[in-house]
Every structure is written in structure tokens, then in C-alpha cells.
Amino acid sequence: MFTKSFGIEIEFTGITRQKAAETAAGYLGCSASFTGGYYEVYEVRAEDGRIWKFMYDGSLKCQRRENGQIIAANNKYSVELVSPILLYREDIDTLQGLARRLRKAGGFCNNSCGIHIHLDGNEHTTRSIRNFINIIASRNDLFYKALQIAPERMRYCKKMDAYLVERINKVKPVSLKQLENIWYEGYPRNRNTHYHDSRYHFLNLHSFFHGNHTVELRGFNGTLHAGKIRAYVVLALALNHQALTQKSARYHKVQEENERFAMRTYLNRIGFIGDEFKSCREHLYKHLDGNAAWRYGSRENVRSHISTHHVESGGNSNEE
């Protein structure tokens, strides 16, 4: 699952775009340049030729620290880091190191900030996109609680639309064009516009149909915490891999009687296995209720559940 490329956008404030770019240049061993334009962009061209951008985002609440207090700031403190195309094994250390450096320089995130991860769409088909929709929709509530998506960001990161999910699974489109038409149903606005209303969902396919041909995941709060960023990237790549490789994925609400267990078993299923991803797993079920080790909460609850089930089914609890 780590062979697919991705790009990441990290929104933050606390420092100016110029300072953010200069900090990144110092970390990457190069220089920053102001290229301007509507988004007032600063570019940092790394030694490998790839460009990291720091640009203005009008949706951010600009703030800075002064004398230990967080106060309002002007729009120079609106910063969106836009990465070049990255690969996990080759680039995750650089991405994490850059996040740490920006945080140390004074950057921070508030409830207006988000992270968006773009996944290469070249290998996606009608089947895999339908899989992706069903995978996300089936775990809407679990993902939103696990990721603690701020209410302030729901405008820009809505849950998968129930009508879309129903239509996709009823029609079962056989072509990307047919799928595209279903995606834009109910949106009268010209679908060629960049800021189309359909894009503001956890799973954004507007970028796939009328953007850079990427599948975008928008369901992550802004952070400069390197461990959380890694967890989000791994989750995005794992979801993408599942959508691409699974023969089919139907829509069904997952069991949530024990949220932590449901999340842990799902993460293991999609590749979060072993010590390498222990911290990623912990970040992703930290805010969920329940017991990650036992579906019914504890060893004692398992015994109680089995005993109750045995009695209800007319079995003898003493039988071997």
C-alpha cells in the first residue's frame, strides 16, 4: 500500500507564510522565494527539484502568540503548506521533520485548520471508486469520532451524503462518466469550477473528476504533531489500497458497541500491523470508547456474553 504517491496540505497559523517558507528552506537546505499571485505564494525548491509551497487560505482564523497569549493576527499568518508529490517510505521522515521544525518556529493549529491528503487517481476505476465511497460511508460515525473532526470544520468536511451512497449502490454505475453524473446530482452549479460545493466532504471526488485526478481525503483536523500526521497519511494510503484491491465493498454500518475494538480490528485488517504502526493505531482510537483488546469490554464480559448466549439458545453451559 506504500507504493502509491500522495500529496498533503497542512493548514496552520502562528507564524507568517514568509517565516514558514524560510523555516522550511532552512530545514531542506535551500532558499525560499516569493512568487506572489492571488494566494501570495512562497516557494521552497528542495535540492531534489521538488517544490514545497506556502500559500494563503481565506478560511483560516489567523492567530499568533504574544507574551504567552494567543491573539488575533492579520492574514499574513494564514498558512497552507502544499507538499510536492511524495512517497511514504522515501519521504515520511522529511514530512515529519518539517512539521516539527514549523511547530518549533511557532506554528500551531486552531479549530479552523485542516489537513487534506490527495491520493493518485490514475489506477482508480468505477469499481474502486464505488468501493471507496462504501468504505467511508460505512464508517462515517466511527471515523468522525476517532478523528475528532471539529464542528467548526463540518462545513468543509461533511459526512458522505446518504443520497449519493444510495444512488451509487442502486444504479451500480459501469463507467466513470456515469459515476461522475451521480456524484454531481443535485448540484446546479457548473461542475468545472474549482470550489464546487461537492468537494466539501470527507471523501472529495470533485478533484478526481475535475481537478488533478486525485482522490482527496479531507477528514483530518489541522496539526503539526508529527506522529498524528504520519497516522493520517498511513490511514489514507491504507484506505486507498483497500478500495483499489478489494473485489467489492458494500455499504453497511459497522458494529459500534465497542468502538475501540471495532477500530483496532479494522486497522489490523487494512495493514496497521506490528510495532511499526503501534503509535498510529493509538492515535486513531485514542478518542474512542471501549476496550481495544476485547470486543465485549473485558475477559469477564466475554464469559458473560458467551454464557448468556448459551442459555438463550437453549444450550447447556456445562457442555464442552
Side-chain angles (χ1 to χ4, degrees), residues 215-312:
V215 175
E216 181 187 22
L217 293 179
R218 301 173 58 87
F220 308 105
N221 288 335
T223 183
L224 290 174
H225 186 294
K228 290 181 180 179
I229 291 172
R230 176 171 171 258
Y232 299 160
V233 169
V234 174
L235 178 61
L237 291 171
L239 290 171
N240 189 55
H241 181 73
Q242 183 186 10
L244 284 167
T245 59
Q246 193 164 305
K247 184 175 181 181
S248 67
R250 63 186 180 89
Y251 169 68
H252 66 99
K253 297 295 288 182
V254 300
Q255 70 83 16
E256 294 178 2
E257 65 219 22
N258 183 341
E259 296 168 338
R260 283 198 172 203
F261 183 85
M263 180 61 87
R264 184 184 70 83
T265 54
Y266 177 66
L267 294 178
N268 283 340
R269 175 187 167 195
I270 61 175
F272 284 67
I273 301 170
D275 289 341
E276 180 181 1
F277 302 114
K278 180 180 179 181
S279 64
C280 294
R281 295 193 299 271
E282 290 173 349
H283 282 303
L284 293 172
Y285 57 66
K286 177 181 179 180
H287 299 286
L288 298 176
D289 296 325
N291 186 307
W294 300 94
R295 177 171 183 176
Y296 299 103
S298 67
R299 187 187 299 269
E300 291 71 23
N301 285 348
V302 171
R303 290 170 177 163
S304 174
H305 175 82
I306 293 174
S307 177
T308 301
H309 176 74
H310 218 45
V311 171
E312 289 176 350

Side-chain angles (χ1 to χ4, degrees), residues 9-13 17 37-41 54-63 73-82 110-114 116 152-153 155-156 194-195 199-200 218:
E9 300 164 359
I10 304 174
E11 300 168 348
F12 62 97
T13 188
R17 288 184 295 283
Y38 177 81
Y39 296 104
E40 301 177 7
V41 177
F54 295 83
M55 54 203 302
Y56 167 77
D57 187 315
S59 69
L60 302 187
K61 179 171 64 179
C62 300
Q63 296 177 317
N74 61 42
N75 63 18
K76 291 181 180 180
Y77 288 78
S78 170
V79 190
E80 180 178 24
L81 160 62
V82 180
N110 55 36
N111 55 20
S112 72
C113 301
H116 308 147
E152 295 84 355
R153 291 195 55 246
R155 173 186 171 189
Y156 301 104
H194 178 70
Y195 293 108
R199 73 197 295 263
Y200 300 115
R218 301 173 58 87

Side-chain angles (χ1 to χ4, degrees), residues 24 28 129 158 167 187-188 222 226 240 278:
L28 296 169
I129 292 295
K158 301 170 187 174
R167 287 282 292 154
Y187 294 101
N240 189 55
K278 180 180 179 181

Side-chain angles (χ1 to χ4, degrees), residues 180-210:
E180 177 186 342
N181 289 335
I182 295 173
W183 174 263
Y184 290 106
E185 280 184 14
Y187 294 101
R189 193 178 180 190
N190 186 337
R191 64 181 66 174
N192 289 310
T193 183
H194 178 70
Y195 293 108
H196 193 273
D197 291 342
S198 69
R199 73 197 295 263
Y200 300 115
H201 289 83
F202 189 111
L203 176 67
N204 168 27
L205 295 180
H206 179 59
S207 62
F208 178 76
F209 295 123
H210 290 279

